Amino acid sequence: MFNKLKEKLSGFKESITTKILEKAAGSIPIIGNKSEPAAAQQDMRPAPETPVKTAESRSAAPNPQVEAVPPPKISIVDKARSLIFEREVILDEKDLEEPLWGLEMALLESDVALPVAEEIVSSVKSSLVGSRKKIGSDTGDLVESALRAALLKVLSKNVFDFDEFIKNAPKPVKILFVGVNGTGKTTSIAKVARYLRDRGYSVVLAAGDTFRAGAIEQLETHGQRLDLKVIKHKTGGDPAAVIFDAIEYAKAHKKDVVLADTAGRLHTNINLMDQMKKIVRVTKPDMLIFVDEAIAGNDAVERARLFNESVPITGTILTKTDADAKGGSAISIAYVTGKPILFLGVGQDYPDLVKFDPQWLVDRLLGD
């Protein structure tokens, strides 16, 4: 998951660590240089041994055959390394200019939206510029901490507790799923149904995708496997009527949640978007969840933004994040739409649904 982006972030950490060590080493005088102060050169040489004078030694004649044993020599390399790692340096903007440019390019190449990449770079820069950095084995940790804080800042701007919402909302909770064709919308509905059922909620499924051939049968199959009621009409029927009937069934049978499928559609299809607006007017959903593939990258982010403009979404489910090497959509989509990521799909089976947690995602982006 997100392997390419992890490699790029690791490369940024290494470049900053190298820059810090280079700056620290550059502030140490070169041993043996003629321009080096004599005191500094003297400091690098071992001090001569001073014999302890006693009355007996003062009266004794010197013995030319006895040689003083010199103290162990201090390695110049060890001395230089010690001086570097004991120092502190202050990073300025010039030091970070090249690495930060590299970080921004790495983020953009990983499908992170431009304003999000700029936000991350700005945050990392603010953290590293002007503060004193102790040189040592924790240099990489300092850079990782700056990256971690920047990513968490972006990912935590729009966080939504799905479980808390379901718990407190009037029943039945009406949830509508929207998105483009082929992104795993119907499978995501089944995963959310399983997620809710495992937490003690009763669920009804509404086969509101009356447009795509086989869509009703697909949802029925999931309903049979999960032992859930599926409300359906004939293919080509009015999806708003199907979902309305499912809501009425849930009210009559005291069910907790209605999960409604809808036909996949592009935001550019005026007729289908008008149909979506009608469904929203008739059913008045408590949540409208946009579903798209993480591997779609910036396309998924842009589609979510445009859907949100047409029928304001509550949040997003990103599918196929286990196959996403870049990770850009997972970082960008909540920031761009102003609406949270609710779940990440990490496989094909029903349990392969992870409730979104910024810390969980950052841990994977940074290789933990």
Side-chain angles (χ1 to χ4, degrees):
M1 182 185 293
F2 313 134
N3 290 334
K4 290 183 180 179
L5 181 53
K6 285 195 290 188
E7 290 176 8
K8 293 178 184 296
L9 293 178
S10 178
F12 172 72
K13 290 192 291 184
E14 292 175 5
S15 68
I16 293 291
T17 299
T18 300
K19 181 66 69 174
I20 293 174
L21 293 176
E22 286 177 351
K23 185 164 187 178
S27 64
I28 304 290
I30 298 174
I31 313 302
N33 192 308
K34 292 182 180 180
S35 63
E36 180 185 353
Q41 294 188 37
Q42 179 67 26
D43 182 63
M44 298 303 296
R45 294 194 296 269
E49 181 179 1
T50 303
V52 178
K53 294 183 179 181
T54 64
E56 188 176 319
S57 64
R58 283 194 297 268
S59 61
N63 186 353
Q65 296 182 349
V66 178
E67 297 182 0
V69 179
K73 293 183 179 180
I74 300 175
S75 164
I76 291 177
V77 173
D78 290 342
K79 181 67 176 178
R81 184 183 293 113
S82 175
L83 287 171
I84 290 174
F85 282 91
E86 289 175 2
R87 297 178 69 87
E88 287 185 338
V89 297
I90 300 178
L91 292 170
D92 55 36
E93 292 191 20
K94 186 175 180 181
D95 296 323
L96 296 173
E97 184 176 336
E98 184 177 341
L100 287 175
W101 173 252
L103 173 62
E104 185 168 348
M105 290 300 100
L107 292 170
L108 293 175
E109 289 169 0
S110 298
D111 285 343
V112 176
L114 177 59
V116 182
E118 290 175 340
E119 173 79 11
I120 292 171
V121 169
S122 176
S123 183
V124 171
K125 180 179 178 180
S126 297
S127 178
L128 293 179
V129 169
S131 55
R132 302 181 69 86
K133 301 298 176 186
K134 184 76 174 179
I135 308 306
S137 59
D138 64 342
T139 303
D141 293 339
L142 294 170
V143 182
E144 180 168 321
S145 295
L147 266 177
R148 183 177 292 274
L151 290 168
L152 282 172
K153 180 181 177 182
V154 166
L155 291 169
S156 300
K157 282 197 171 182
N158 300 287
V159 177
F160 181 89
D161 193 328
F162 180 84
D163 292 345
E164 193 69 16
F165 178 83
I166 296 296
K167 177 182 176 181
N168 296 323
K171 307 299 186 290
V173 184
K174 300 163 287 185
I175 304 178
L176 202 63
F177 291 76
V178 301
V180 299
N181 289 313
T183 58
K185 179 162 45 62
T186 304
T187 302
S188 294
I189 292 172
K191 288 181 178 181
V192 173
R194 161 71 181 266
Y195 179 92
L196 291 168
R197 192 198 66 181
D198 289 351
R199 283 155 181 78
Y201 295 105
S202 54
V203 179
V204 176
L205 304 180
D209 183 356
T210 60
F211 182 77
R212 178 172 63 91
I216 296 173
E217 289 78 7
Q218 182 184 2
L219 193 66
E220 279 189 303
T221 299
H222 288 305
Q224 291 167 4
R225 290 173 180 172
L226 296 170
D227 194 24
L228 299 176
K229 177 68 175 179
V230 179
I231 304 299
K232 63 177 182 176
H233 288 189
K234 293 187 297 184
T235 300
D238 182 359
V242 178
I243 298 169
F244 180 84
D245 286 350
I247 294 169
E248 291 303 306
Y249 176 91
K251 289 177 180 178
H253 294 81
K254 300 190 182 305
K255 301 296 183 180
D256 296 315
V257 184
V258 176
L259 303 180
D261 197 6
T262 63
R265 67 200 73 212
L266 290 171
H267 64 279
T268 53
N269 190 315
I270 297 174
N271 291 335
L272 285 177
M273 290 308 294
D274 286 343
Q275 182 193 70
M276 177 60 64
K277 292 175 183 178
K278 175 188 173 183
I279 295 172
V280 171
R281 284 196 311 271
V282 171
T283 62
K284 297 180 175 58
D286 300 299
M287 299 183 71
L288 199 151
I289 298 177
F290 176 78
V291 181
D292 210 333
E293 298 173 329
I295 55 176
N298 273 319
D299 287 343
V301 176
E302 180 65 6
R303 289 195 290 251
R305 184 184 69 80
L306 294 169
F307 259 86
N308 187 50
E309 290 179 357
S310 297
V311 281
I313 64 175
T314 307
T316 301
I317 292 177
L318 283 176
T319 65
K320 302 182 182 179
T321 53
D322 54 315
D324 183 16
K326 293 186 174 183
S329 57
I331 294 176
S332 305
I333 199 163
Y335 185 98
V336 170
T337 63
K339 304 297 175 62
I341 299 175
L342 303 175
F343 292 99
L344 298 175
V346 294
Q348 295 299 312
D349 296 330
Y350 293 131
D352 295 332
L353 188 73
V354 176
K355 184 180 175 183
F356 180 74
D357 174 40
Q359 187 68 58
W360 180 90
L361 182 56
V362 171
D363 286 344
R364 276 145 188 81
L365 287 171
L366 295 179
D368 293 352

